[in-house]
Amino acid sequence: MVLFWFWAVAAMLTIYAVLDGFDIGAGIVHLFVARNDTERRLVLRSIGPVWDGNEVWLIAAGGTLFMAFPTLYASSFSGFYLPLSLVLWLLILRGIAIEFRSKIASPVWSPFWDVVFASASAGLAGFYGVAIGNVVRGVPLDQSGFFFLTLWTDFRVGGRVGILDWFTILVGLATFFAMAAHGSLWVALKTDGELETRCRQAANLLWWPVLLFTVLIPIVSPMVQPHLLDRIAHHPWGYIFPAFALAGLAGMRYFNRAQSAIQAFIASSLYVLGIATSTTFGLCPYVLPSTIDSRFSLSIANAAAPPSAQRIGFFWFIPGIILAFVYLRFGYRGFAGKVDVEGQGY
Amino acid sequence: MDALTVDRIQFAFTLVFHYLFPQLTMGLALLIVIFKTVALRTGKEHYNRAARFWARIFAVNFAMGVVTGIPMEFQFGTNWAGFSKAAGGVLGQTLAMEGIFSFFLESSFLGLFLFGERRLGPIAHWLSAFLVFLGSWLSGFFIIATNAWMQHPVGYQITPTGQIDLVSLWSLLTNPWLRWQYPHNMTASVITASVVMAATGAFYLLSNIHLDYARTFLRTGVIAGAIASCLMMYPLGDSQGRNVAQYQPVTFAAMEGLFHTERGAPLAILGQPDMQAQTLDNPLIVPNVLSFLTYRRWKAKVKGLDAFPRSEWPDNVPLLYYAYHNMVGLGTFFIAILLIAALALWPGWLYESRLLLWALMLLAPFPYIATTFGWMTAELGRQPWLIYGLMRTSQGASPSVSEGNALFTLIGFVGMYGVLSVLFLFLIYFEVQRGPAREAPFNGPVRNPN
């Protein structure tokens, strides 16, 4: 049962990364690919009706994590107090920027929100990456089951660690570029003309740093978290997850150059999925490793909710999540095709 | 200030600010469905335009509600880790259910409702409005179920490690506390939306703009508001009060300012609790009425604060007393104004009476204030417990978050919400001024109203 919840939360967070990943990515490249008011409206329209549904995956995953792993929820959220608060503020600013930007046509109102939208998106992508880096590296959990991390200490991965160190910053940059490329491919898919061309070019250009980090991070990660090597050595079938990521990476390049927008976007989704599942697989059965002693690490077993709560949750979760996919299908189907500037909207 | 105090202030501040938006959108969703239904049945474009105008107001409020709502879920973990660790197995259920059953529904169909009118056709568009309404009322249900469990925990058992395990989902969702708190809260949200709608109509008539819509908004707002505020007094407010008397008698005594146990207890209308002397200063009281309202007998015994040890008393009795009395006072005031306005509606006097129009326009902020006082009553009344009878508030805060770090984020939230409020009010004023008649042209940029 507890393994079910582990993969359920991991799957929801992965879906969140794929879906909100593209609208955050669209925000990162917003100022570069869209040059005038019409194009910027088009970028917003390409994510407008779906961004808040995408964010629901974060809220639903958070709720499910709270229910199934209350100890992890309590420990990690209070330990990552400062970066999470920053993430909340960035989410607030970004959401408001999207919704407010096109409500008043004015040469001071819209450009202001464009910059807020782009910088909040960039900051979020970076912080999400840093968060993943922190979970992989581990945190100073002790026997109390709690910890607190300052934003930075000496930027080294050992001893008294902070949120930011060279490793977590690397993961942050990797996430930033991956989301930017993912978002460019989405906007390319939803628009046409010059905007589409510029998005394709952006995705082509961003592919190189994504490639660089995809090679670099697996090389340095085992130095930071030796458990990863152990895990893959004992379960060689796990190579399938990085293989997804590599296939996605190759597909992004190939299909984007072949101008097959849908396939290119699917490939970059596959890439995000591959990276997320590889990380989850590599850490399992830990959910938050301790840098002090592995006895203090939070694992699937010691972070889980009491048994009856897990069982009860299972009964409503399955029909609930099926319903969610049905709604999602309606939402996206009503939004099929390229966007234009006609009609009501952003 | 210690970390616990800062945690409490931050939660209270972010929650009060957050709830300014959902209380409008939940009620407004219902009124929009009413407009869409009338439009569908009569075929009058007038009501579609009215619905589109309120959908724009809805969208801005909804966005504010979403972005200020995420911090509420996160803060259970960031600031209240002790509480989350113990109660996640129970309260995570309702919070996850809210995400999965209502937010997915709401967000998928809101996109269609706001931007898909031409693509969907009238019936599917009506349905998407209805599903947005259903989603928002469901999310209200799950949140109230969460709060109701903290007020009156049911269906649980304590594990040997001290965590709280849920044993019955059915009990959680049919909590006797929830049965009255949910309709009480949702009716309050209908009052907020109705008063805002009526106030907008009054503002249009007084400014002599958008006159056709002004009458529609006034009529709809006044009638819906009058019905909702009467229901609020009886049976909803009455039953909620008796719920508190039954399950949290000490809270009830503090709310009513009843220091001493009495037969034929009086109802205090006005007065200031004096905690030293344990009396109500300058009391304006009606004898026997509290006994009657609570137990339906004039001479029934009502327990006062003196019947309970001091450690069980809510930690801020005067604030609780004022919050409750302000809520009830404002509620009574709404009934009076809205009933008079409803009566003046039939002969058509309302549209001409500047006095009533002014009164309705100025009424707009008061439902928000009343709702805030209502929630203060619920939350202050639960003190000193975080989960009533199970966990003290002081046990719930995050052990690892220091006062300085908590204060840093509190100041951040105050600053950010302050700036957002200014921009929000500016945008809402702009939308109200633009009104329903002048829609955004279908092609090209939005025109400046001047």
Side-chain angles (χ1 to χ4, degrees):
Chain A
M1 182 56 78
V2 72
L3 259 183
F4 165 79
W5 287 115
F6 174 75
W7 283 105
V9 173
M12 290 168 89
L13 286 174
T14 305
I15 295 172
Y16 172 68
V18 171
L19 294 181
D20 214 28
F22 78 66
D23 66 59
I24 289 175
I28 299 175
V29 296
H30 182 60
L31 294 178
F32 304 105
V33 297
R35 301 277 164 80
N36 54 40
D37 185 63
T38 310
E39 290 182 347
R40 291 193 174 162
R41 273 168 182 272
L42 284 172
V43 171
L44 283 171
R45 284 184 175 207
S46 77
I47 60 167
V50 293
W51 76 268
D52 99 83
N54 295 345
E55 243 161 57
V56 170
W57 284 99
L58 177 68
I59 303 172
T64 311
L65 183 72
F66 187 18
M67 168 185 79
F69 299 98
T71 306
L72 172 65
Y73 192 80
S75 178
S76 61
F77 276 46
S78 60
F80 294 136
Y81 188 80
L82 294 173
L84 273 181
S85 301
L86 294 177
V87 163
L88 287 174
W89 296 341
L90 291 171
L91 282 171
I92 292 172
L93 285 175
R94 185 170 168 278
I96 292 300
I98 297 172
E99 292 299 322
F100 281 21
R101 186 222 176 259
S102 299
K103 291 280 195 291
I104 297 176
S106 141
V108 285
W109 181 266
S110 324
F112 169 74
W113 290 115
D114 283 329
V115 172
V116 173
F117 173 49
S119 22
S121 301
L124 267 180
F127 262 108
Y128 283 147
V130 169
I132 299 168
N134 271 277
V135 173
V136 171
R137 180 204 59 207
V139 295
L141 274 166
D142 58 20
Q143 60 269 37
S144 73
F146 287 101
F147 67 96
F148 189 85
L149 278 183
T150 54
L151 283 178
W152 61 79
T153 51
D154 53 6
F155 297 97
R156 274 185 283 192
V157 296
R160 238 190 96 234
V161 290
I163 295 289
L164 296 174
D165 60 36
W166 64 263
F167 175 72
T168 60
I169 291 175
L170 270 189
V171 184
L173 286 172
T175 313
F176 174 83
F177 285 113
M179 284 191 175
H182 188 48
S184 310
L185 289 172
W186 171 262
V187 182
L189 170 68
K190 297 297 288 181
T191 56
D192 44 25
E194 273 182 61
L195 179 57
E196 184 193 3
T197 313
R198 279 201 292 269
C199 287
R200 280 228 187 84
Q201 288 164 347
N204 253 331
L205 200 66
L206 287 162
W207 189 80
W208 292 104
V210 175
L211 175 69
L212 173 73
F213 284 109
T214 311
V215 176
L216 189 61
I217 288 181
I219 296 176
V220 297
S221 297
M223 291 157 50
V224 176
Q225 183 51 268
H227 174 72
L228 299 173
L229 283 182
D230 254 26
R231 174 84 180 145
I232 200 84
H234 286 100
H235 303 275
W237 58 270
Y239 279 111
I240 188 161
F241 299 117
F244 279 144
L246 290 178
L249 190 63
M252 277 163 82
R253 182 81 183 166
Y254 175 80
F255 291 115
N256 190 32
R257 291 182 69 108
Q259 311 208 346
S260 324
I262 295 180
Q263 286 87 337
F265 178 72
I266 291 174
S268 77
S269 304
L270 186 68
Y271 172 75
V272 177
L273 183 126
I275 295 291
T277 47
S278 303
T279 316
T280 315
F281 169 80
L283 279 179
C284 187
Y286 292 120
V287 285
L288 194 61
S290 166
T291 53
I292 296 179
D293 190 321
S294 63
R295 284 181 298 136
F296 302 138
S297 294
L298 289 180
S299 69
I300 295 179
N302 69 10
S308 169
Q310 287 185 43
R311 233 179 4 256
I312 287 174
F314 185 77
F315 287 108
W316 62 259
F317 184 83
I318 297 291
I321 208 77
I322 292 172
L323 264 181
F325 279 111
V326 173
Y327 302 148
L328 202 69
R329 199 179 133 67
F330 269 108
Y332 274 84
R333 205 169 57 178
F335 182 54
K338 305 252 182 200
V339 290
D340 56 36
V341 280
E342 310 244 318
Q344 294 168 289
Y346 293 78
Chain B
M1 271 195 294
D2 53 355
L4 176 67
T5 311
V6 184
D7 288 333
R8 286 181 68 180
I9 294 175
Q10 177 170 307
F11 204 89
F13 171 72
T14 50
L15 189 53
V16 165
F17 188 78
H18 165 65
Y19 196 60
L20 295 176
F21 307 102
Q23 65 174 301
L24 180 74
T25 52
M26 291 188 297
L28 203 49
L30 176 69
L31 298 179
I32 289 175
V33 170
I34 293 176
F35 280 146
K36 291 300 295 182
T37 309
V38 175
L40 199 62
R41 294 186 59 134
T42 62
K44 283 187 187 155
E45 183 56 16
H46 175 78
Y47 290 97
N48 270 326
R49 281 171 175 270
R52 254 174 251 145
F53 167 75
W54 286 106
R56 287 206 300 271
I57 303 289
F58 181 95
V60 175
N61 278 278
F62 184 81
M64 292 289 282
V66 169
V67 297
T68 56
I70 302 174
M72 300 326 302
E73 190 192 41
F74 274 39
Q75 277 181 86
F76 283 123
T78 53
N79 296 69
W80 298 96
F83 170 63
S84 305
K85 188 173 178 169
V90 179
L91 295 184
Q93 308 269 350
T94 41
L95 290 182
M97 286 171 104
E98 185 196 25
I100 288 169
F101 287 103
S102 46
F103 287 159
F104 279 121
L105 176 69
E106 211 176 356
S107 63
S108 299
F109 289 95
L110 182 63
L112 291 177
F113 171 65
L114 291 178
F115 309 117
E117 186 165 0
R118 281 189 304 176
R119 211 188 284 207
L120 288 173
I123 292 174
H125 194 244
W126 178 88
L127 187 67
S128 62
F130 180 77
L131 291 173
V132 169
F133 157 72
L134 184 71
S136 68
W137 281 53
L138 261 180
S139 94
F141 178 79
F142 289 120
I143 288 302
I144 303 289
T146 309
N147 186 262
W149 189 83
M150 292 164 68
Q151 301 284 356
H152 179 59
V154 289
Y156 67 92
Q157 69 188 17
I158 312 271
T159 66
T161 55
Q163 283 189 304
I164 305 169
D165 196 2
L166 181 67
V167 292
S168 164
L169 184 66
W170 181 249
S171 312
L172 180 65
L173 298 181
T174 56
N175 190 336
W177 191 281
L178 174 64
R179 251 173 260 162
W180 290 111
Q181 194 187 9
Y182 178 61
H184 183 76
N185 183 73
M186 298 318 285
T187 308
S189 135
V190 174
I191 295 177
T192 299
S194 307
V195 168
V196 166
M197 188 174 280
T200 307
F203 170 71
Y204 286 166
L205 279 180
L206 290 169
S207 320
N208 208 22
I209 51 174
H210 311 302
L211 296 178
D212 308 350
Y213 294 97
R215 293 197 172 87
T216 307
F217 295 166
L218 257 181
R219 202 164 54 234
T220 314
V222 163
I223 294 173
I227 296 171
S229 54
C230 289
L231 284 175
M232 193 55 135
M233 179 176 70
Y234 189 85
L236 299 173
D238 173 63
S239 305
Q240 177 68 17
R242 292 203 287 153
N243 239 350
V244 179
Q246 184 180 350
Y247 297 111
Q248 297 182 359
V250 56
T251 305
F252 185 74
M255 276 159 52
E256 300 286 359
L258 189 70
F259 284 95
H260 305 287
T261 304
E262 277 182 60
R263 287 186 188 283
L267 183 72
I269 310 255
L270 291 175
Q272 296 79 34
D274 180 338
M275 296 307 289
Q276 267 78 44
Q278 310 250 325
T279 54
L280 214 52
D281 292 342
N282 316 310
L284 176 63
I285 56 171
V286 197
N288 300 335
V289 169
L290 185 59
S291 286
F292 179 77
L293 288 177
T294 315
Y295 299 108
R296 300 294 188 261
R297 280 179 290 116
W298 294 105
K299 288 292 172 194
K301 186 165 103 177
V302 182
K303 281 186 179 169
L305 280 169
D306 63 356
F308 306 91
R310 199 124 192 182
S311 61
E312 304 286 304
W313 291 17
D315 49 14
N316 198 332
V317 172
L319 190 57
L320 170 59
Y321 168 91
Y322 291 127
Y324 172 68
H325 278 76
N326 275 316
M327 172 190 75
V328 174
L330 283 171
T332 315
F333 185 60
F334 298 154
I335 295 176
I337 292 202
L338 290 168
L339 276 183
I340 293 171
L343 291 176
L345 202 56
W346 303 127
W349 293 338
L350 180 59
Y351 306 129
E352 315 294 327
S353 160
R354 292 183 63 83
L355 181 68
L356 271 175
L357 291 177
W358 269 98
L360 283 172
M361 186 179 81
L362 294 178
L363 199 61
F366 288 97
Y368 290 98
I369 297 172
T371 306
T372 302
F373 278 130
W375 274 107
M376 283 172 70
T377 307
E379 299 301 281
L380 289 165
R382 198 188 58 233
Q383 303 303 327
W385 300 98
L386 186 45
I387 307 166
Y388 204 80
L390 276 186
M391 183 186 230
R392 296 270 176 166
T393 304
S394 53
Q395 297 169 298
S398 298
S400 60
V401 176
S402 68
E403 179 209 342
N405 281 307
L407 196 57
F408 171 76
T409 58
L410 172 59
I411 292 171
F413 273 113
V414 171
M416 174 158 296
Y417 286 0
V419 173
L420 282 187
S421 314
V422 173
L423 294 167
F424 169 81
L425 288 174
F426 177 69
L427 192 54
I428 289 292
Y429 183 74
F430 178 87
E431 289 284 3
V432 168
Q433 270 288 339
R434 192 170 77 174
R438 273 193 268 171
E439 294 196 346
F442 274 140
N443 211 340
V446 179
R447 234 178 278 130
N448 205 293
N450 307 311

